[in-house]
Amino acid sequence: MSERQRARRAATVLPVLITLLVGAAVGGLVIIQNQRQSDQVVEAEAMGQDYLSAAATFKARVAKANKAANSTKLTEITRVLDTEVAKPPTLPAASKYGRQNSSTYREAIDVQSTLLGPYEALSATLKRAQVAETFINAGRKVLEMRATDYVGAGVITSSGQVRAKLIPAFVNARDTFNRVPVPKGQQKLASTIQGAVQYVIDQATTLADRIEARQSFSFSYNDQFQVAADALNDYA
């Protein structure tokens, strides 16, 4: 075979060979790419499944802890709830292809987005209830006070006990109540209770002044306290 014939044959065979080599290379790349994508989906599926299992365990643990807490103590229930939900399970990041093509991973994303919502809402409700409970207890405590516990019953002939015991006791009760957080929307109720206590302070001060001036004076605070107590009971 002459040099010219060999050159012609090479010129004919070479493009075909190059085409075959390129085709084989592209095919290999496609196979590799498909395998990588398949691996990403498998990995995302595993991540999603692990998270869903952890989320179920998390919910069960929170429910068990809340059930074990003293249901009559809002403070304890709130503390237990906040402690248990402080460390929720986390969903590891998956590749974009894995996220898009794994139904389990997408389900895990949905679960993660809503996992803490109910607990946060419950915690907020419990805290509002705790504020209300503290307010109600403080209001009832101050409205249970009786002037006779400090100056006795009957005619009072000296202002000493009025100024030394009665007035300071109600001033302290008023100030203590004023430091209690007022539930949202209950400022009017708080003012009613404060006003009832202040009425006793003002009337007791007038009583002491009249006694020292040797003048007769008497007062009753039953109406003011009853109005405040009825309003508090309506709220409770």
Side-chain angles (χ1 to χ4, degrees):
M1 183 180 295
S2 66
E3 289 295 330
R4 178 177 291 183
Q5 289 175 326
R6 283 196 293 271
R8 287 178 179 175
R9 186 176 182 182
T12 302
V13 173
L14 186 58
V16 175
L17 180 60
I18 292 174
T19 300
L20 291 174
L21 290 174
V22 170
V26 171
L29 289 174
V30 171
I31 292 173
I32 292 173
Q33 180 66 16
N34 287 343
Q35 184 60 49
R36 287 178 178 172
Q37 291 176 340
S38 178
D39 290 344
Q40 290 173 8
V41 174
V42 170
E43 182 181 35
E45 284 282 319
M47 289 178 178
Q49 188 59 54
D50 287 346
Y51 177 82
L52 292 175
S53 177
T57 301
F58 172 80
K59 292 178 181 179
R61 188 183 73 239
V62 174
K64 182 179 180 180
N66 285 342
K67 186 176 181 179
N70 189 335
S71 60
T72 64
K73 296 182 178 180
L74 292 175
T75 303
E76 181 179 345
I77 298 174
T78 304
R79 178 187 60 78
V80 169
L81 178 63
D82 289 348
T83 298
E84 291 298 326
V85 302
K87 294 182 178 180
T90 57
L91 178 62
S95 68
K96 181 179 180 180
Y97 188 86
R99 292 195 305 271
Q100 293 176 340
N101 293 276
S102 168
S103 59
T104 303
Y105 194 88
R106 292 197 302 273
E107 180 184 356
I109 292 175
D110 292 340
V111 171
Q112 180 175 243
S113 67
T114 59
L115 181 63
L116 294 181
Y119 301 119
E120 291 171 346
L122 176 58
S123 179
T125 299
L126 287 171
K127 288 173 182 175
R128 288 194 297 271
Q130 188 175 336
V131 170
E133 181 182 58
T134 300
F135 176 81
I136 291 168
N137 290 340
R140 284 175 173 166
K141 182 177 181 179
V142 72
L143 293 175
E144 288 172 355
M145 294 180 69
R146 296 293 179 266
T148 53
D149 293 339
Y150 303 95
V151 295
V155 178
I156 303 174
T157 59
S158 171
S159 65
Q161 288 185 317
V162 177
R163 294 195 186 279
K165 294 183 178 181
L166 176 59
I167 295 174
F170 278 78
V171 168
N172 181 65
R174 178 201 62 195
D175 294 345
T176 298
F177 178 77
N178 288 347
R179 289 192 292 270
V180 174
V182 179
K184 185 177 180 179
Q186 298 304 318
Q187 189 58 55
K188 181 178 180 180
L189 174 57
S191 296
T192 299
I193 297 173
Q194 294 161 355
V197 179
Q198 187 63 49
Y199 178 81
V200 176
I201 296 170
D202 293 343
Q203 294 299 301
T205 301
T206 299
L207 173 62
D209 292 341
R210 292 292 182 86
I211 291 174
E212 291 167 359
R214 298 185 181 280
Q215 298 174 352
S216 62
F217 181 79
S218 65
F219 72 92
S220 170
Y221 56 88
N222 182 67
D223 289 345
Q224 288 75 15
F225 268 45
Q226 190 61 54
V227 168
D230 289 343
L232 185 60
N233 288 334
D234 288 343
Y235 170 63

